[in-house]
């Protein structure tokens, strides 16, 4: 069965994890469906090139299916009338239904003839945005559930999703979605800003939670904590308190 | 997408807004000004005049030269440990020639203003012209504004759709007081607004338009009126840069002697992380602004040395509470709730 990984950030920006997983799965030869809602294609492309992967080339050879949310949104609102058989995946902007988005995901990861990739992967950046655009929290959870059944169980692939959260957040819908997803994830990577405030050498701390208790009743979750510093082409991880600036 | 949280009376955020537009004129960019409060023509008439390069450079140059020659001879006697720290530059140094300086007491000349092409969107005029809007499931004022922006972008070729155009220019968009009741959105008045997603959807579509064209946008929002904080969080996630202005007018900080040199604080909540894993974080996070007769400056927050020994407990607590993020540059003050009395 495939794995559901949840990327979570609090008080900091966890998008470096998205870039990592994108280049990681592409290098591993998996077929990736990337639903990029927040940034443009060229942004991901530039960063991926620094990490050694070309998104444009991956798209050419059919390894990467890239949904650029911003462009699709403009097409939907300013473009011509859509054909009846091909609803835009961003239809939820007008009708609050995430069905079209799910159909898009399923169609792009369906095994095609003549292509043997190492396993399908769905990558989503970011889920909290769906709530901002009018989807109800229950609809979002349903969508994720459908994706998980389709990708993890049926296709034996992996799903990686990024969400934002905040302590003392007043965004209850978002907290609901995040908490629910935490309970159903196999692996949680939680990037947090340091509790002591801003620091030049340590950009944050990452908590890695392996939810072994999900699959087997008697197991305990394994929690690891590292601190990290983001550089131009790389992210370095180290044990808390042992950053290079201190040693 | 630069998102500015307005200060309580809108004085200073309006100033920043005008600076953005004035810079656009001086650089020769096209402008698009949208407002529901004042007619854009009036806004444009009030833009500050740019300081001519030679006089401005000379003034700042003189000051900087005077300061430098003094400091050179001094060497610290008591606080010698601090000698090795780099000298803190409170205001921007003269050799960085990025942008222009403006004289707030003078208005920009009409000839300069007319040297660029500008478009305006005044909500109350627009609504009366075209009552129909496509069913976008969004506040109609916002929808009209988006349509107008998109029309200008594609007509004037900012999205690169016209390969014939040799000179590509930048479009600077300024939107004033978005989200206020004047736009027809009750997100600033009630805790449970009628359509909480209008503002965020608007920002998302605007973000798409900005990414696909050569434009930059500044939006000011009366965030202090918003009671639903969840929307502010979502809006922050949707913007590239978020800056908040907190003015001291009418608050207890106005009379606090520690802040006497300044008119308010600048909170940088978010900076863009585009096309890269890292972002350009500055060394200090404490910025304050002041409005002198001719200039509006943003500087690092400098606390004067704590010389009096009868400073009351109340003001010390106040400062400690509000200065949680003080950087190490202001080494004189104790950080945290407990103080060590020397």
């Amino acid at each position: 069965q495939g794995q559901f990984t949840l990327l979570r950030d609090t008080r900091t920006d966890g998008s470096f994890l998205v870039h990592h997983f994108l280049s990681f799965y592409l290098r591993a030869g998996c077929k990736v469906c990337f639903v990029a809602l927040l940034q443009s294609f060229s942004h991901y492309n530039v960063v991926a090139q620094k990490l050694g992967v070309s998104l444009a080339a991956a798209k050419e050879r059919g390894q990467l299916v890239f949904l650029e949310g911003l462009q699709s949104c403009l097409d939907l609102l300013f473009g011509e009338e859509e054909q009846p058989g091909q609803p835009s995946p961003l239809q939820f902007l007008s009708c609050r239904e995430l069905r079209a988005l799910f159909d898009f995901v399923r169609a792009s990861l369906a095994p095609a003839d003549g292509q043997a990739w190492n396993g399908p992967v769905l990558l989503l950046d970011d889920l909290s945005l769906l709530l901002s655009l009018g989807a109800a929290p229950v609809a979002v959870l349903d969508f994720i559930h459908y994706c998980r059944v389709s990708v993890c169980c049926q296709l034996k692939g992996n799903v990686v999703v990024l969400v934002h959260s905040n302590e003392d957040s007043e965004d209850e819908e978002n907290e609901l979605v995040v908490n629910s997803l935490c309970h159903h994830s196999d692996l949680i990577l939680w990037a947090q800003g340091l509790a002591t405030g801003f620091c030049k050498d340590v950009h944050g701390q990452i908590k890695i939670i392996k939810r072994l208790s999900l699959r087997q009743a008697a197991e305990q979750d394994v929690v690891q904590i590292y601190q990290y510093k983001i550089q131009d082409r790389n992210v370095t991880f180290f044990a808390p308190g042992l950053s290079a600036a201190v040693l | 997408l630069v998102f500015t949280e307005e200060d309580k009376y809108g004085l200073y955020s309006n100033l920043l807004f005008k600076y953005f537009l004035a810079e656009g004129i001086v650089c020769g960019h096209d402008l698009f000004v949208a407002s529901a409060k004042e007619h854009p023509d009036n806004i444009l008439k009030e833009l500050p005049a740019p300081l001519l390069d030679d006089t401005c450079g000379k003034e700042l140059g003189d000051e900087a030269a005077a300061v430098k020659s003094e400091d050179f001879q001094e060497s610290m006697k008591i606080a010698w440990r601090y000698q090795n720290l780099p000298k803190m530059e409170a205001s921007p140094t003269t050799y960085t020639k990025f942008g222009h300086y403006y004289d707030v007491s003078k208005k920009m000349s009409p000839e300069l203003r007319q040297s660029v092409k500008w478009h305006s969107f005044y909500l109350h005029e627009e609504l009366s012209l075209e009552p129909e809007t496509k069913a976008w499931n969004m506040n109609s004022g916002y929808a009209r504004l988006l349509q107008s922006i998109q029309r200008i972008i594609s007509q004037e070729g900012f999205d690169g759709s016209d390969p014939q155009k040799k000179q590509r220019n930048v479009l600077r968009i300024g939107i004033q007081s978005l989200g206020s009741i004047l736009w027809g959105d009750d997100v600033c008045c009630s805790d449970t607004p009628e359509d909480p997603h209008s503002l965020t959807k608007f920002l998302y579509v605007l973000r798409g338009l900005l990414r696909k064209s050569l434009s930059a946008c500044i939006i000011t929002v009366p965030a202090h009126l918003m009671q639903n904080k969840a929307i502010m969080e979502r809006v922050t996630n949707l913007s590239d840069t978020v800056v908040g202005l907190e003015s001291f007018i009418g608050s207890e900080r106005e009379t606090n002697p520690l802040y006497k040199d300044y008119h308010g604080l600048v909170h940088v909540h978010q900076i863009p992380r585009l096309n890269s894993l890292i972002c350009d974080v500055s060394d200090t996070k404490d910025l304050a602004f002041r409005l002198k007769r001719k200039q509006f400056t943003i500087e690092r927050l400098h606390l004067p040395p704590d010389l009096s020994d009868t400073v009351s407990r109340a003001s010390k607590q106040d400062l400690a509470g509000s200065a949680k993020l003080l950087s190490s540059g202001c080494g004189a003050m104790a950080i945290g709730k407990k103080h060590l009395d020397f």
Side-chain angles (χ1 to χ4, degrees):
Chain A
Q1 246 213 5
Q3 218 190 27
F4 186 92
T5 304
L6 183 67
L7 306 175
R8 186 177 172 178
D9 63 26
T10 301
R11 285 192 313 262
T12 187
D13 186 13
S15 57
F16 68 95
L17 292 168
V18 173
H19 293 298
H20 159 74
F21 275 102
L22 180 59
S23 48
F24 171 72
Y25 280 119
L26 281 177
R27 261 194 295 234
C30 297
K31 176 150 190 191
V32 179
C33 172
F34 187 12
V35 178
L37 295 174
L38 195 60
Q39 301 278 17
S40 61
F41 177 74
S42 58
H43 164 80
Y44 293 106
N45 200 14
V46 169
V47 181
Q49 275 174 349
K50 290 186 183 165
L51 297 176
V53 173
S54 164
L55 294 188
K59 245 170 82 160
E60 293 276 310
R61 56 176 185 256
Q63 190 188 9
L64 171 67
V65 177
F66 194 98
L67 173 61
E68 188 175 0
L70 293 169
Q71 181 65 56
S72 299
C73 169
L74 292 182
D75 289 338
L76 175 66
L77 295 177
F78 296 114
E80 298 94 30
E81 291 299 316
E82 57 190 52
Q83 293 87 12
Q86 289 241 334
S88 161
L90 286 199
Q91 220 184 23
F92 62 87
L93 281 174
S94 15
C95 68
R96 302 193 82 165
E97 266 283 318
L98 290 168
R99 175 103 216 165
L101 188 58
F102 169 67
D103 288 335
F104 173 84
V105 166
R106 194 176 41 174
S108 38
L109 286 181
D113 314 316
Q115 284 185 352
W117 300 109
N118 268 343
V121 175
L122 167 63
L123 188 57
L124 219 147
D125 176 16
D126 67 71
L127 203 62
S128 307
L129 196 59
L130 289 179
L131 292 170
S132 304
L133 292 178
V138 176
V140 173
L141 289 173
D142 281 344
F143 164 73
I144 288 291
H145 176 75
Y146 272 79
C147 286
R148 225 209 339 231
V149 165
S150 161
V151 178
C152 293
C153 305
Q154 288 172 352
L155 299 172
K156 310 275 185 281
N158 295 330
V159 176
V160 181
V161 170
L162 173 70
V163 286
H164 299 297
S165 72
N166 270 324
E167 292 149 7
D168 327 322
S169 163
E170 295 209 12
D171 191 349
E172 289 168 357
E173 295 184 344
N174 191 35
E175 292 302 303
L176 174 75
V177 170
V178 172
N179 284 329
S180 175
L181 287 178
C182 276
H183 285 298
H184 292 116
S185 314
D186 295 304
L187 176 66
I188 304 178
L189 294 173
W190 191 350
Q192 295 165 310
L194 292 177
T196 43
F198 167 68
C199 169
K200 234 180 1 180
D201 298 301
V202 179
H203 290 145
Q205 137 179 320
I206 184 164
K207 208 166 175 181
I208 304 178
I209 307 174
K210 296 193 180 119
R211 301 217 52 237
L212 305 172
S213 59
L214 198 61
R215 303 287 174 118
Q216 286 179 292
E219 293 281 338
Q220 286 271 348
D221 292 343
V222 173
V223 181
Q224 291 168 312
I225 298 186
Y226 296 100
Q227 288 180 340
Y228 62 86
K229 176 174 173 165
I230 304 179
Q231 289 149 338
D232 194 35
R233 281 171 192 261
N234 196 10
V235 180
T236 45
F237 294 90
F238 38 86
L242 293 181
S243 97
V246 168
L247 291 175
Chain B
L1 177 57
V2 178
F3 192 88
T4 312
E5 293 170 0
E6 284 177 13
D7 53 295
K8 231 199 257 178
Y9 300 104
L11 291 170
Y12 300 109
S13 53
N14 244 344
L15 205 49
L16 258 189
F17 188 74
K18 288 178 188 160
Y19 262 76
F20 182 82
L21 296 173
E23 179 72 11
I25 293 189
V26 175
C27 292
H29 299 157
D30 285 2
L31 294 184
F32 182 106
V33 184
S35 170
K37 210 163 48 160
E38 296 174 49
H39 199 281
D41 288 340
N42 294 339
I43 298 179
L44 283 177
K45 290 204 182 99
E46 307 239 320
L47 296 183
L51 282 173
L52 296 167
D53 273 348
D54 35 8
T55 54
C56 146
K58 201 161 161 303
E59 266 178 43
L60 290 176
D62 287 343
E63 276 179 32
V67 165
K68 279 197 165 64
S69 57
E70 273 178 43
D71 284 359
F72 233 73
Q73 272 77 23
E74 282 181 32
S75 67
M76 301 189 181
K77 295 203 169 52
I78 297 174
W80 54 274
R81 264 296 178 200
Y82 289 117
Q83 182 124 8
N84 297 330
L85 289 178
K87 293 229 179 344
M88 284 231 298
E89 295 286 353
S91 41
T93 47
T94 48
Y95 52 76
T96 50
K97 263 308 183 177
F98 180 70
H100 301 84
Y101 293 100
Y102 295 90
D103 181 349
V104 180
S105 57
K106 291 201 249 188
K107 303 269 175 286
M108 187 179 275
S109 67
E111 300 85 45
L112 188 55
R113 237 189 299 135
Q114 270 136 28
S115 64
V116 296
K117 205 163 172 185
W118 61 276
H119 317 276
S120 75
F121 180 96
Y122 186 46
L123 183 67
H124 306 296
E125 275 177 5
E126 299 282 335
L127 277 184
S128 55
L129 289 176
E130 247 180 74
E132 277 191 40
T133 56
K134 251 176 11 187
W136 282 5
N137 211 359
M138 191 194 295
N139 174 329
S140 66
Y142 296 158
R144 286 289 300 123
L145 177 55
L146 284 172
Q147 282 176 337
S148 181
I149 295 178
Q150 193 268 344
R151 191 168 28 97
I152 301 289
I153 287 182
S154 66
Q155 269 174 8
E156 305 285 326
F158 289 108
D159 54 355
S161 57
D162 188 4
Q164 303 297 327
K165 236 180 151 134
K166 285 160 285 179
Q167 267 223 328
R168 299 212 297 188
N169 201 355
V170 172
L171 178 66
R172 285 199 181 214
I173 306 177
I175 308 180
Q176 199 187 39
S177 272
L178 195 66
S180 72
I181 188 70
L182 294 167
W183 286 93
D185 191 358
D186 62 349
V187 96
C188 280
C189 339
S190 81
D191 209 6
T192 47
E194 204 180 297
D195 185 6
H197 303 286
S198 256
L199 183 59
T200 42
K201 276 197 223 170
F202 168 83
L203 284 176
Y204 188 70
V205 182
L206 179 63
R207 192 185 169 94
L209 285 172
L210 293 176
R211 289 282 196 271
K212 291 293 163 190
S213 63
L214 290 172
S215 33
C217 177
I218 185 171
I219 302 184
T220 68
V221 167
H224 56 275
L225 292 174
M226 272 194 203
Q227 307 194 350
N228 188 339
K229 297 293 173 215
I231 298 195
M232 271 317 294
E233 291 175 21
R234 293 181 180 179
V235 158
T236 302
N237 285 335
L238 280 165
S239 318
D240 295 316
T241 311
V242 181
V243 172
L245 292 174
E246 180 192 343
S247 81
F248 294 149
I249 302 178
S251 87
E252 57 198 11
R253 294 189 184 176
E254 197 172 12
T255 46
N256 192 333
L258 297 150
Y259 287 130
K260 69 170 161 45
D261 288 334
Y262 302 102
H263 290 117
L265 297 175
V266 176
H267 303 285
V268 179
H269 296 295
Q270 183 166 284
I271 43 181
R273 200 185 281 252
L274 285 175
N275 291 336
S276 168
L277 279 175
I278 51 177
C279 55
D280 183 27
V281 187
S282 68
D283 283 337
T284 178
K285 294 226 152 187
D286 310 297
L287 300 168
F289 64 84
R290 68 172 120 176
L291 179 59
K292 295 193 274 211
R293 193 176 57 91
K294 283 196 168 192
Q295 249 188 351
F296 175 79
T297 49
I298 296 183
E299 308 173 343
R300 287 188 215 216
L301 181 61
H302 256 310
L303 291 175
D306 187 18
L307 294 170
S308 92
D309 29 32
T310 55
V311 173
S312 69
R313 282 268 154 206
S315 73
K316 259 201 173 153
Q317 290 279 10
D318 208 30
L319 180 69
S322 64
K324 279 185 291 229
L325 303 170
L326 267 187
S327 61
S328 57
C330 305
M333 297 295 291
I335 299 174
K337 300 232 168 62
K338 294 215 173 103
H339 321 283
L340 298 173
D341 284 310
F342 288 98

